[in-house]
Amino acid sequence: MDYPNDQAPGAPIRSGIPEHGRIPKYYAVKAQISLLIDELGEGGLLPTERDLALRHEVSRETVRQALRELLLEGRLRRQGRGTVVAGPKLEQPLSLASYTEGVRRQGRRPGRHLIGLERFPCPEALAAEIGAVRGEHVWHLERVLLADDERVGLESTYVSVARLPRLDTEFDPDSSFYAYLRDRLGIAFGDADERIETVLATPREALLIGTPPALPMLLLHRLSRDTEGRPLERVRTLFRGDRFSFTTHLGGGDGTTRRGGGDEGR
């Protein structure tokens, strides 16, 4: 197989073109629009569907299909009635300090918007995950995640009320949860198990994040423990698939993964 001299690492082989050379018309238009995106740069205003259709001598539906894929991939974003070039995706290190650290590392300002903080009797399945007893009260902290005031995710954290009895009065929901545990309560995180999958947001989740329900999301499940190995929290976080990618460092020889460091939590 021939590789173009300018083939970028990680790019689709042969730019995604099959060996027989026949490609869908929308894909050829998409490739041309991608070149235009590179020329315009972040924030650049894309021509209208009508103008693009005339420029490439195709139907508006063909252009629309190409734009849909570029929007889902995070290359473009809607702004008012127009379409502009989106900035690069936020790279999230898989670490116990991931959200705040990852956003700040790329020169963006992390933030959170409180949806709710409530307590309820713990169901059996959740009790086993956070080290609680069935029926014991647990906190549910739900927040929208922000990057420079842009809504990029939705996070639900479950933790025992017995362990954090004053969470509702001491904790600032706009701040780092991990920093509160560390600085106010002296609780340090030891390790965590994480699982990531691709899902679609529910209508409620899409409304809170401000995205179309058809936009793919990256769903992260996390079970965290303190330095003594005691279960601490259960987290469910949705990240916009068009705005996030995940990174980690894999150690060699012992089959373990070295997580990113830092002491700024979510």
Side-chain angles (χ1 to χ4, degrees):
M1 180 182 292
D2 295 328
Y3 289 80
N5 292 331
D6 59 352
Q7 175 79 50
I13 302 302
R14 293 170 52 93
S15 298
I17 301 175
E19 276 68 17
H20 56 56
R22 297 187 297 275
I23 61 173
K25 186 177 293 187
Y26 86 89
Y27 192 87
V29 174
K30 176 185 174 183
Q32 292 301 312
I33 296 176
S34 293
L35 295 176
L36 178 59
I37 288 173
D38 293 337
E39 293 176 9
L40 292 173
E42 182 177 351
L45 180 64
L46 210 67
T48 65
E49 288 182 3
R50 180 177 181 277
D51 289 341
L52 289 171
L54 290 173
R55 177 184 301 189
H56 299 292
E57 299 181 339
V58 296
S59 69
R60 290 184 65 173
E61 179 54 37
T62 298
V63 170
R64 199 168 293 130
Q65 186 173 358
L67 294 178
R68 276 198 297 264
E69 289 203 358
L70 290 166
L71 284 163
L72 288 174
E73 292 172 3
R75 301 290 310 281
L76 300 171
R77 61 182 174 85
R78 299 294 190 190
Q79 182 171 292
R81 300 184 65 181
T83 303
V84 300
V85 178
K89 287 189 177 183
L90 292 162
E91 292 186 1
Q92 279 298 94
L94 290 173
S95 70
L96 286 175
S98 59
Y99 180 69
T100 299
E101 176 186 338
V103 173
R104 283 182 175 166
R105 178 183 297 172
Q106 293 168 85
R108 304 285 295 275
R109 185 179 72 258
R112 301 98 175 151
H113 172 69
L114 178 67
I115 300 301
L117 174 59
E118 57 185 351
R119 51 191 290 171
F120 63 95
C122 188
E124 186 172 354
L126 179 61
E129 294 185 335
I130 64 172
V133 177
R134 178 182 178 183
E136 176 185 342
H137 279 88
V138 296
W139 292 115
H140 173 221
L141 172 65
E142 185 178 33
R143 299 184 292 176
V144 171
L145 301 178
L146 309 171
D148 289 342
D149 297 325
E150 177 186 12
R151 298 186 177 207
V152 294
L154 180 66
E155 179 183 79
S156 285
T157 301
Y158 300 90
V159 64
S160 169
V161 171
R163 192 123 197 230
L164 305 178
R166 293 178 293 278
L167 184 65
D168 58 338
T169 58
E170 291 183 345
F171 175 60
D172 176 4
D174 292 335
S175 67
S176 165
F177 180 61
Y178 283 12
Y180 164 73
L181 295 178
R182 181 191 65 240
D183 300 337
R184 189 68 180 256
L185 303 179
I187 297 176
F189 281 81
D191 64 352
D193 294 318
E194 291 183 332
R195 176 168 59 87
I196 301 174
E197 57 185 310
T198 304
V199 299
L200 296 178
T202 66
R204 176 181 180 271
E205 291 167 338
L207 183 63
L208 289 173
I209 302 173
T211 57
L215 179 70
M217 296 281 179
L218 296 170
L219 173 60
L220 183 147
H221 299 275
R222 172 183 289 175
L223 297 176
S224 303
R225 292 169 288 272
D226 62 20
T227 52
E228 298 177 357
R230 298 168 56 196
L232 181 54
E233 63 164 1
R234 201 263 194 246
V235 183
R236 180 187 190 276
T237 310
L238 277 176
F239 293 97
R240 288 178 51 166
D242 64 336
R243 301 302 298 133
F244 278 91
S245 63
F246 286 94
T247 63
T248 189
H249 177 84
L250 303 178
D254 60 358
T256 61
T257 298
R258 191 182 77 190
R259 299 183 179 278
D263 58 4
E264 289 283 351
R266 294 190 317 277

